[in-house]
Amino acid sequence: NISLSLLLHPRTFSRCSTMDLSSMKPSSNNRRKRKQKNLDPLTDLYAQEDTMDFQLANNNVSGNTVDMSTKQKKSQEKKVRQGGNRSGTQRVTSAHQDAHKIRIVYEDDDILVVHKPRFIACHPSTSHTKDTLVQQVIGHLGGDRELLSNLDCTPEVDRPGIVHRIDWQTSGLLIMAKNTAAHLNLKEQFQKHTIKRTYYCLTHNHFRDAQGVIDVSIGRHHSNPSKRVPLTDALTKKKQTFKDAFTKYKVLQLFTDGSGRNKYSLVRCNLKTGRTHQIRVHLTHVGRPLVGDKLYGSKKQPFQQGAQVLHAKSLGFVHPTTGKEMSFDSELPSYFAEILKGLKEVKVDDRDIL
């Protein structure tokens, strides 16, 4: 078992304060503002993803939070590029991360590795028009979108540099490509399933097995285009396109809340495939939906966190130009750590028959 003290960085908890969230009542003005933003009342509180350390090897550089202003742009580029061109992995540390700012973890002439906080979309769409990851990265590059690959851009979808995506409510690490050659190489690595991606999530209920593999194809919901469904016998007769999906999971810790009635599991997921909502669909399919997942699980938000508790924690790939192995790992964001801190750990030997 991985103890909570080892799993989470000690500095994360040094900033966490104990508070009664149920007693917090925002003013009517604040409620109106949050309603306009379509966010839960306490989204702003939990979206403060501070004390974010990126545990990387070799060279050290100072981190930079991307800002759209011209004033900070040059100093940000200088901080990132001090690590050298294609020099391998680096360590980036921040004392505080703004809820609406991405973070450049690594950058060279061919790629960027970016940390995306929760509630930021990867690229513009009809529902997300401002402050997307793509727009912030372009701002970091001096407003020159030609410094990102346009390989997968279409008149309908403008996503320069995007090689892969994570849900807008999910935090974590992504790779972006600056040119077509790098984009094609990374795309091939994804297609061959050689890129290593690890996610941490908190689910409802305990697991019977400490680890396992979920091998269930996933397809689009017949009436809800934003939702995905697992392939079942009932759906095999319908003319829907399903794709193979493999999720390997390991249960790291088991928890209960203060009452002891509600059970939770901290789970590490490694993806072989990267289907839309794959982890959310697979874990719901086996009866362990993600905490806070309104689309696939309960509408209730037991910790008022505003969305599913899911973080893209680590990333490993081969550099598209140098051929060097690159690996990046991030600490759990503070909202995630705060939730775990408030739960009671259950020893595996002491748990009930599930």
mmCIF file of all heavy atoms in Angstrom, residues 200-231:
data_model
loop_
_atom_site.group_PDB
_atom_site.id
_atom_site.type_symbol
_atom_site.label_atom_id
_atom_site.label_comp_id
_atom_site.label_asym_id
_atom_site.label_seq_id
_atom_site.Cartn_x
_atom_site.Cartn_y
_atom_site.Cartn_z
ATOM 1 N N TYR A 200 -4.645 9.750 -11.748
ATOM 2 C CA TYR A 200 -5.109 9.427 -10.404
ATOM 3 C C TYR A 200 -6.555 9.907 -10.291
ATOM 4 O O TYR A 200 -6.898 10.996 -10.776
ATOM 5 C CB TYR A 200 -4.265 10.126 -9.336
ATOM 6 C CG TYR A 200 -2.992 9.395 -8.961
ATOM 7 C CD1 TYR A 200 -2.263 8.683 -9.910
ATOM 8 C CD2 TYR A 200 -2.500 9.435 -7.667
ATOM 9 C CE1 TYR A 200 -1.093 8.027 -9.583
ATOM 10 C CE2 TYR A 200 -1.320 8.786 -7.328
ATOM 11 C CZ TYR A 200 -0.624 8.075 -8.283
ATOM 12 O OH TYR A 200 0.535 7.432 -7.949
ATOM 13 N N CYS A 201 -7.398 9.091 -9.659
ATOM 14 C CA CYS A 201 -8.788 9.487 -9.487
ATOM 15 C C CYS A 201 -9.322 8.958 -8.162
ATOM 16 O O CYS A 201 -8.763 8.037 -7.563
ATOM 17 C CB CYS A 201 -9.644 8.980 -10.650
ATOM 18 S SG CYS A 201 -9.635 7.186 -10.862
ATOM 19 N N LEU A 202 -10.404 9.561 -7.707
ATOM 20 C CA LEU A 202 -11.095 9.109 -6.504
ATOM 21 C C LEU A 202 -12.454 8.579 -6.936
ATOM 22 O O LEU A 202 -13.205 9.271 -7.628
ATOM 23 C CB LEU A 202 -11.265 10.262 -5.515
ATOM 24 C CG LEU A 202 -11.820 9.878 -4.143
ATOM 25 C CD1 LEU A 202 -10.807 9.034 -3.370
ATOM 26 C CD2 LEU A 202 -12.186 11.123 -3.334
ATOM 27 N N THR A 203 -12.755 7.338 -6.555
ATOM 28 C CA THR A 203 -14.014 6.723 -6.968
ATOM 29 C C THR A 203 -14.906 6.449 -5.761
ATOM 30 O O THR A 203 -14.445 6.379 -4.622
ATOM 31 C CB THR A 203 -13.773 5.381 -7.692
ATOM 32 O OG1 THR A 203 -13.418 4.375 -6.721
ATOM 33 C CG2 THR A 203 -12.673 5.512 -8.731
ATOM 34 N N HIS A 204 -16.171 6.283 -6.038
ATOM 35 C CA HIS A 204 -17.093 5.777 -5.030
ATOM 36 C C HIS A 204 -16.871 4.274 -4.865
ATOM 37 O O HIS A 204 -16.470 3.585 -5.807
ATOM 38 C CB HIS A 204 -18.541 6.017 -5.464
ATOM 39 C CG HIS A 204 -18.960 7.453 -5.402
ATOM 40 N ND1 HIS A 204 -19.279 8.088 -4.222
ATOM 41 C CD2 HIS A 204 -19.111 8.378 -6.385
ATOM 42 C CE1 HIS A 204 -19.627 9.338 -4.474
ATOM 43 N NE2 HIS A 204 -19.521 9.544 -5.777
ATOM 44 N N ASN A 205 -17.117 3.775 -3.666
ATOM 45 C CA ASN A 205 -17.070 2.335 -3.348
ATOM 46 C C ASN A 205 -15.634 1.810 -3.309
ATOM 47 O O ASN A 205 -14.709 2.427 -3.845
ATOM 48 C CB ASN A 205 -17.888 1.516 -4.356
ATOM 49 C CG ASN A 205 -19.308 2.042 -4.477
ATOM 50 O OD1 ASN A 205 -19.920 2.419 -3.483
ATOM 51 N ND2 ASN A 205 -19.820 2.076 -5.698
ATOM 52 N N HIS A 206 -15.472 0.668 -2.653
ATOM 53 C CA HIS A 206 -14.189 -0.025 -2.609
ATOM 54 C C HIS A 206 -14.132 -1.044 -3.737
ATOM 55 O O HIS A 206 -15.148 -1.426 -4.295
ATOM 56 C CB HIS A 206 -14.005 -0.730 -1.261
ATOM 57 C CG HIS A 206 -13.771 0.215 -0.127
ATOM 58 N ND1 HIS A 206 -13.834 -0.160 1.195
ATOM 59 C CD2 HIS A 206 -13.472 1.544 -0.119
ATOM 60 C CE1 HIS A 206 -13.588 0.881 1.978
ATOM 61 N NE2 HIS A 206 -13.369 1.928 1.199
ATOM 62 N N PHE A 207 -12.925 -1.494 -4.060
ATOM 63 C CA PHE A 207 -12.713 -2.500 -5.106
ATOM 64 C C PHE A 207 -12.515 -3.876 -4.479
ATOM 65 O O PHE A 207 -11.941 -4.004 -3.395
ATOM 66 C CB PHE A 207 -11.476 -2.149 -5.936
ATOM 67 C CG PHE A 207 -11.696 -1.076 -6.967
ATOM 68 C CD1 PHE A 207 -11.892 0.245 -6.597
ATOM 69 C CD2 PHE A 207 -11.706 -1.392 -8.315
ATOM 70 C CE1 PHE A 207 -12.086 1.236 -7.544
ATOM 71 C CE2 PHE A 207 -11.904 -0.406 -9.277
ATOM 72 C CZ PHE A 207 -12.100 0.905 -8.890
ATOM 73 N N ARG A 208 -12.959 -4.892 -5.175
ATOM 74 C CA ARG A 208 -12.717 -6.263 -4.722
ATOM 75 C C ARG A 208 -11.256 -6.662 -4.935
ATOM 76 O O ARG A 208 -10.663 -7.367 -4.129
ATOM 77 C CB ARG A 208 -13.617 -7.241 -5.478
ATOM 78 C CG ARG A 208 -15.092 -7.128 -5.140
ATOM 79 C CD ARG A 208 -15.904 -8.155 -5.917
ATOM 80 N NE ARG A 208 -17.322 -8.053 -5.611
ATOM 81 C CZ ARG A 208 -17.911 -8.638 -4.575
ATOM 82 N NH1 ARG A 208 -17.184 -9.369 -3.756
ATOM 83 N NH2 ARG A 208 -19.196 -8.505 -4.362
ATOM 84 N N ASP A 209 -10.695 -6.239 -6.061
ATOM 85 C CA ASP A 209 -9.325 -6.605 -6.400
ATOM 86 C C ASP A 209 -8.416 -5.387 -6.286
ATOM 87 O O ASP A 209 -8.823 -4.262 -6.571
ATOM 88 C CB ASP A 209 -9.262 -7.156 -7.832
ATOM 89 C CG ASP A 209 -10.174 -8.366 -8.010
ATOM 90 O OD1 ASP A 209 -10.123 -9.253 -7.136
ATOM 91 O OD2 ASP A 209 -10.911 -8.405 -9.001
ATOM 92 N N ALA A 210 -7.177 -5.622 -5.907
ATOM 93 C CA ALA A 210 -6.232 -4.529 -5.756
ATOM 94 C C ALA A 210 -5.821 -3.944 -7.097
ATOM 95 O O ALA A 210 -5.404 -2.783 -7.175
ATOM 96 C CB ALA A 210 -4.998 -4.994 -4.985
ATOM 97 N N GLN A 211 -5.919 -4.735 -8.160
ATOM 98 C CA GLN A 211 -5.566 -4.244 -9.486
ATOM 99 C C GLN A 211 -6.274 -5.082 -10.541
ATOM 100 O O GLN A 211 -6.786 -6.158 -10.267
ATOM 101 C CB GLN A 211 -4.062 -4.290 -9.706
ATOM 102 C CG GLN A 211 -3.436 -5.652 -9.542
ATOM 103 C CD GLN A 211 -1.922 -5.590 -9.605
ATOM 104 O OE1 GLN A 211 -1.328 -4.541 -9.780
ATOM 105 N NE2 GLN A 211 -1.286 -6.743 -9.462
ATOM 106 N N GLY A 212 -6.307 -4.553 -11.751
ATOM 107 C CA GLY A 212 -6.972 -5.285 -12.808
ATOM 108 C C GLY A 212 -6.937 -4.513 -14.117
ATOM 109 O O GLY A 212 -6.375 -3.420 -14.207
ATOM 110 N N VAL A 213 -7.526 -5.099 -15.150
ATOM 111 C CA VAL A 213 -7.603 -4.481 -16.468
ATOM 112 C C VAL A 213 -9.064 -4.473 -16.911
ATOM 113 O O VAL A 213 -9.751 -5.496 -16.817
ATOM 114 C CB VAL A 213 -6.753 -5.237 -17.510
ATOM 115 C CG1 VAL A 213 -6.944 -4.631 -18.899
ATOM 116 C CG2 VAL A 213 -5.284 -5.222 -17.115
ATOM 117 N N ILE A 214 -9.527 -3.338 -17.389
ATOM 118 C CA ILE A 214 -10.874 -3.237 -17.943
ATOM 119 C C ILE A 214 -10.742 -3.178 -19.456
ATOM 120 O O ILE A 214 -10.177 -2.230 -20.006
ATOM 121 C CB ILE A 214 -11.595 -1.985 -17.414
ATOM 122 C CG1 ILE A 214 -11.629 -1.996 -15.883
ATOM 123 C CG2 ILE A 214 -13.022 -1.905 -17.974
ATOM 124 C CD1 ILE A 214 -12.156 -0.716 -15.269
ATOM 125 N N ASP A 215 -11.221 -4.211 -20.117
ATOM 126 C CA ASP A 215 -11.127 -4.338 -21.571
ATOM 127 C C ASP A 215 -12.545 -4.313 -22.136
ATOM 128 O O ASP A 215 -13.164 -5.353 -22.368
ATOM 129 C CB ASP A 215 -10.406 -5.638 -21.930
ATOM 130 C CG ASP A 215 -10.314 -5.886 -23.425
ATOM 131 O OD1 ASP A 215 -10.752 -5.014 -24.201
ATOM 132 O OD2 ASP A 215 -9.818 -6.957 -23.823
ATOM 133 N N VAL A 216 -13.070 -3.111 -22.321
ATOM 134 C CA VAL A 216 -14.435 -2.938 -22.805
ATOM 135 C C VAL A 216 -14.450 -1.823 -23.839
ATOM 136 O O VAL A 216 -13.996 -0.704 -23.561
ATOM 137 C CB VAL A 216 -15.403 -2.581 -21.651
ATOM 138 C CG1 VAL A 216 -16.815 -2.373 -22.191
ATOM 139 C CG2 VAL A 216 -15.399 -3.663 -20.580
ATOM 140 N N SER A 217 -14.945 -2.125 -25.028
ATOM 141 C CA SER A 217 -14.999 -1.120 -26.088
ATOM 142 C C SER A 217 -15.948 0.015 -25.717
ATOM 143 O O SER A 217 -16.895 -0.163 -24.942
ATOM 144 C CB SER A 217 -15.446 -1.758 -27.397
ATOM 145 O OG SER A 217 -14.521 -2.734 -27.811
ATOM 146 N N ILE A 218 -15.672 1.187 -26.296
ATOM 147 C CA ILE A 218 -16.448 2.387 -25.986
ATOM 148 C C ILE A 218 -16.958 3.016 -27.276
ATOM 149 O O ILE A 218 -16.244 3.073 -28.285
ATOM 150 C CB ILE A 218 -15.593 3.401 -25.204
ATOM 151 C CG1 ILE A 218 -15.275 2.845 -23.804
ATOM 152 C CG2 ILE A 218 -16.281 4.756 -25.092
ATOM 153 C CD1 ILE A 218 -14.338 3.727 -23.000
ATOM 154 N N GLY A 219 -18.195 3.481 -27.251
ATOM 155 C CA GLY A 219 -18.789 4.147 -28.405
ATOM 156 C C GLY A 219 -19.592 5.357 -27.991
ATOM 157 O O GLY A 219 -19.814 5.603 -26.798
ATOM 158 N N ARG A 220 -20.065 6.130 -28.954
ATOM 159 C CA ARG A 220 -20.848 7.323 -28.687
ATOM 160 C C ARG A 220 -22.276 6.947 -28.290
ATOM 161 O O ARG A 220 -22.869 6.027 -28.829
ATOM 162 C CB ARG A 220 -20.870 8.221 -29.923
ATOM 163 C CG ARG A 220 -21.399 9.618 -29.675
ATOM 164 C CD ARG A 220 -21.411 10.417 -30.959
ATOM 165 N NE ARG A 220 -20.067 10.636 -31.477
ATOM 166 C CZ ARG A 220 -19.297 11.662 -31.139
ATOM 167 N NH1 ARG A 220 -19.742 12.562 -30.276
ATOM 168 N NH2 ARG A 220 -18.105 11.793 -31.666
ATOM 169 N N HIS A 221 -22.811 7.684 -27.349
ATOM 170 C CA HIS A 221 -24.192 7.483 -26.914
ATOM 171 C C HIS A 221 -25.143 7.772 -28.075
ATOM 172 O O HIS A 221 -24.926 8.709 -28.846
ATOM 173 C CB HIS A 221 -24.497 8.396 -25.727
ATOM 174 C CG HIS A 221 -25.786 8.089 -25.031
ATOM 175 N ND1 HIS A 221 -26.994 8.565 -25.468
ATOM 176 C CD2 HIS A 221 -26.052 7.345 -23.921
ATOM 177 C CE1 HIS A 221 -27.955 8.145 -24.657
ATOM 178 N NE2 HIS A 221 -27.403 7.395 -23.710
ATOM 179 N N HIS A 222 -26.199 6.992 -28.210
ATOM 180 C CA HIS A 222 -27.080 7.105 -29.374
ATOM 181 C C HIS A 222 -27.848 8.422 -29.439
ATOM 182 O O HIS A 222 -28.215 8.885 -30.521
ATOM 183 C CB HIS A 222 -28.070 5.942 -29.398
ATOM 184 C CG HIS A 222 -29.084 5.985 -28.298
ATOM 185 N ND1 HIS A 222 -28.801 5.569 -27.024
ATOM 186 C CD2 HIS A 222 -30.383 6.405 -28.295
ATOM 187 C CE1 HIS A 222 -29.878 5.719 -26.273
ATOM 188 N NE2 HIS A 222 -30.849 6.228 -27.012
ATOM 189 N N SER A 223 -28.093 9.064 -28.273
ATOM 190 C CA SER A 223 -28.875 10.303 -28.282
ATOM 191 C C SER A 223 -28.165 11.500 -27.671
ATOM 192 O O SER A 223 -28.595 12.630 -27.865
ATOM 193 C CB SER A 223 -30.207 10.083 -27.544
ATOM 194 O OG SER A 223 -29.970 9.746 -26.180
ATOM 195 N N ASN A 224 -27.081 11.250 -26.925
ATOM 196 C CA ASN A 224 -26.340 12.328 -26.286
ATOM 197 C C ASN A 224 -24.922 12.357 -26.856
ATOM 198 O O ASN A 224 -24.074 11.567 -26.465
ATOM 199 C CB ASN A 224 -26.299 12.128 -24.772
ATOM 200 C CG ASN A 224 -25.636 13.292 -24.045
ATOM 201 O OD1 ASN A 224 -25.009 14.157 -24.659
ATOM 202 N ND2 ASN A 224 -25.760 13.316 -22.722
ATOM 203 N N PRO A 225 -24.623 13.276 -27.782
ATOM 204 C CA PRO A 225 -23.313 13.274 -28.452
ATOM 205 C C PRO A 225 -22.130 13.557 -27.531
ATOM 206 O O PRO A 225 -21.000 13.240 -27.878
ATOM 207 C CB PRO A 225 -23.463 14.374 -29.508
ATOM 208 C CG PRO A 225 -24.544 15.261 -28.993
ATOM 209 C CD PRO A 225 -25.500 14.358 -28.268
ATOM 210 N N SER A 226 -22.396 14.126 -26.358
ATOM 211 C CA SER A 226 -21.299 14.417 -25.434
ATOM 212 C C SER A 226 -21.012 13.263 -24.480
ATOM 213 O O SER A 226 -20.086 13.331 -23.677
ATOM 214 C CB SER A 226 -21.628 15.670 -24.617
ATOM 215 O OG SER A 226 -22.758 15.447 -23.781
ATOM 216 N N LYS A 227 -21.774 12.196 -24.600
ATOM 217 C CA LYS A 227 -21.628 11.067 -23.680
ATOM 218 C C LYS A 227 -21.154 9.823 -24.417
ATOM 219 O O LYS A 227 -21.458 9.625 -25.585
ATOM 220 C CB LYS A 227 -22.972 10.795 -22.995
ATOM 221 C CG LYS A 227 -22.915 9.855 -21.812
ATOM 222 C CD LYS A 227 -24.261 9.792 -21.108
ATOM 223 C CE LYS A 227 -24.195 8.906 -19.873
ATOM 224 N NZ LYS A 227 -25.495 8.870 -19.152
ATOM 225 N N ARG A 228 -20.396 8.981 -23.721
ATOM 226 C CA ARG A 228 -19.922 7.717 -24.279
ATOM 227 C C ARG A 228 -20.499 6.556 -23.478
ATOM 228 O O ARG A 228 -20.832 6.700 -22.300
ATOM 229 C CB ARG A 228 -18.388 7.660 -24.267
ATOM 230 C CG ARG A 228 -17.707 8.764 -25.058
ATOM 231 C CD ARG A 228 -18.062 8.692 -26.537
ATOM 232 N NE ARG A 228 -17.322 9.655 -27.338
ATOM 233 C CZ ARG A 228 -17.728 10.880 -27.605
ATOM 234 N NH1 ARG A 228 -18.874 11.317 -27.092
ATOM 235 N NH2 ARG A 228 -17.014 11.694 -28.364
ATOM 236 N N VAL A 229 -20.581 5.391 -24.125
ATOM 237 C CA VAL A 229 -21.149 4.219 -23.463
ATOM 238 C C VAL A 229 -20.249 3.014 -23.698
ATOM 239 O O VAL A 229 -19.580 2.915 -24.727
ATOM 240 C CB VAL A 229 -22.571 3.904 -23.993
ATOM 241 C CG1 VAL A 229 -23.556 4.975 -23.584
ATOM 242 C CG2 VAL A 229 -22.564 3.731 -25.506
ATOM 243 N N PRO A 230 -20.226 2.070 -22.743
ATOM 244 C CA PRO A 230 -19.459 0.837 -22.945
ATOM 245 C C PRO A 230 -20.243 -0.127 -23.815
ATOM 246 O O PRO A 230 -21.479 -0.105 -23.846
ATOM 247 C CB PRO A 230 -19.303 0.295 -21.515
ATOM 248 C CG PRO A 230 -20.527 0.791 -20.803
ATOM 249 C CD PRO A 230 -20.829 2.144 -21.395
ATOM 250 N N LEU A 231 -19.551 -0.960 -24.521
ATOM 251 C CA LEU A 231 -20.194 -1.954 -25.382
ATOM 252 C C LEU A 231 -20.775 -3.063 -24.517
ATOM 253 O O LEU A 231 -20.077 -3.704 -23.738
ATOM 254 C CB LEU A 231 -19.187 -2.536 -26.370
ATOM 255 C CG LEU A 231 -19.708 -3.632 -27.302
ATOM 256 C CD1 LEU A 231 -20.829 -3.094 -28.188
ATOM 257 C CD2 LEU A 231 -18.579 -4.180 -28.161
#
